[in-house]
Amino acid sequence: MPEDRSRPAPDTAASASTPARRAFVRVMPGLFVLLWSTGFIGAKFGLPYVEPFTFLAVRFLLALVLLAPLAWAARAAWPKSTAALGHQAVTGTLVHAVYLGGVFWAIDHGLSAGVAALIVGLQPLLTAVAVGPLLGERVSARQWLGLVLGLTGVAMVVGEKLGFAGAAAGLAGLEPIALSGAVLALLGITAGTLYQKRFGGSTDLRAATFVQYAAAAVVMGVASLALETGDIQWTGEFVFALGWLTLVLSLGAISLLMTLIRLGEAARVASLFYLVPPVTAVTAWALFGETLGALALAGMAVAVVGVALVVARRG
């Protein structure tokens, strides 16, 4: 019997059942962007002390250790069929292993975080192209304008920080393997978002997240054993980065993302990723004193306007 995808999971439906929870649903997009943007900061702290696939494998295993007692205490409803279990495993492989593995691999092979963010920033446009034939969602002319403005804003922020000429020269001098990692990450996060929206909405969020990380841990574990040494320098910076990325990103931000995918249209959710590079730039300014020029500030404003056009509901 096919899964019933017409209704949200019980935990999703309950998330909007009281005024306090409805208020939380309203602030979820902003909270997600804020938390997700710290991922680049965490990677900056941690990657000097560990290879990328090993880093992710350890992170996912730690997330599983933390999620298991939480899911058990909450009496989470586990997937009732092999198909439902498989859907979550596919989502976990795409969103966690392919996306994060691709980004970390690209940066480890010389691609700057800014250029990687710009390439992955194509996700909302790619999602908008796919939602019609795959999910039956309609993207309006206003939303298309917002998607283009959002990408323009991201390009302005990244271009101001890197210099357009310098970024182009850097891309020309990179090995194809670095760029392929970023492109693979782009395809992974796009396909994962669409797949979860299409097939993953009927599984308890806590159980779904556990299955997703289990699948991602297996993929990253195999990649680490096959391609890396597995060496880790357990410095204070690495421990901090590992803890932050596990608690804030793997548990907090990912839970918000999966809830947003269930509650909203895929194109609207994807557009939030346009705000990640600007928020990351502000975070880097606050933590590391990195400068923010006029072009970057203007780009942030353009990105915000673009996302507002995409997520605004028609009256």
Side-chain angles (χ1 to χ4, degrees):
M1 183 173 181
E3 287 184 82
D4 180 8
R5 295 188 295 269
S6 63
R7 293 177 298 171
D11 58 311
T12 303
S15 65
S17 61
T18 67
R21 288 175 176 174
R22 287 196 295 269
F24 180 67
V25 168
R26 286 194 292 270
V27 302
M28 275 198 301
L31 182 59
F32 163 72
V33 170
L34 179 62
L35 297 183
W36 194 266
S37 67
T38 65
F40 292 99
I41 304 300
K44 181 175 181 178
F45 275 110
L47 275 175
Y49 308 103
V50 63
E51 292 164 295
F53 297 153
T54 302
F55 192 178
L56 291 172
V58 173
R59 170 180 165 182
F60 296 153
L61 288 173
L62 181 57
L64 288 172
V65 170
L66 296 174
L67 275 171
L70 293 176
W72 178 80
R75 296 185 179 181
W78 296 94
K80 294 181 174 60
S81 68
T82 303
L85 191 70
H87 289 324
Q88 295 306 325
V90 171
T91 296
T93 299
L94 292 171
V95 172
H96 307 307
V98 177
Y99 167 65
L100 289 175
V103 169
F104 279 36
W105 173 270
I107 293 173
D108 190 58
H109 283 77
L111 191 66
S112 73
V115 174
L118 183 57
I119 293 173
V120 178
L122 294 169
Q123 185 223 348
L125 281 175
L126 196 58
T127 301
V129 171
V131 291
L134 293 180
L135 300 180
E137 294 181 8
R138 178 179 174 272
V139 181
S140 67
R142 185 200 72 240
Q143 289 177 312
W144 277 114
L145 174 61
L147 289 166
V148 173
L149 283 176
L151 182 61
T152 301
V154 170
M156 291 168 67
V157 173
V158 173
E160 197 274 346
K161 292 180 70 61
L162 299 178
F164 289 105
L171 283 171
L174 283 172
E175 296 180 6
I177 195 171
L179 289 176
S180 66
V183 172
L184 188 62
L186 166 63
L187 297 176
I189 190 65
T190 303
T193 299
L194 294 169
Y195 193 92
Q196 177 67 9
K197 181 66 177 179
R198 179 73 174 85
F199 295 108
S202 61
T203 303
D204 186 291
L205 182 61
R206 295 152 297 195
T209 304
F210 185 91
V211 175
Q212 289 173 18
Y213 280 128
V218 171
V219 174
M220 287 293 94
V222 171
S224 173
L225 291 173
L227 301 172
E228 299 177 347
T229 65
D231 293 336
I232 301 174
Q233 300 178 47
W234 292 92
T235 64
E237 289 85 354
F238 172 73
V239 172
F240 170 79
L242 178 63
W244 182 270
L245 291 175
T246 301
L247 294 172
V248 176
L249 273 294
S250 293
L251 299 186
I254 287 295
S255 296
L256 290 171
L257 175 60
M258 294 300 153
T259 303
L260 288 167
I261 290 173
R262 294 184 178 191
L263 295 177
E265 296 175 4
R268 284 190 169 95
V269 175
S271 71
L272 297 174
F273 285 89
Y274 279 150
L275 298 179
V276 172
V279 174
T280 301
V282 172
T283 305
W285 166 77
L287 293 179
F288 308 117
E290 295 184 9
T291 58
L292 288 172
L295 184 61
L297 293 172
M300 292 178 193
V302 171
V304 168
V305 171
V307 173
L309 287 173
V310 176
V311 303
R313 299 282 181 178
R314 291 186 293 273

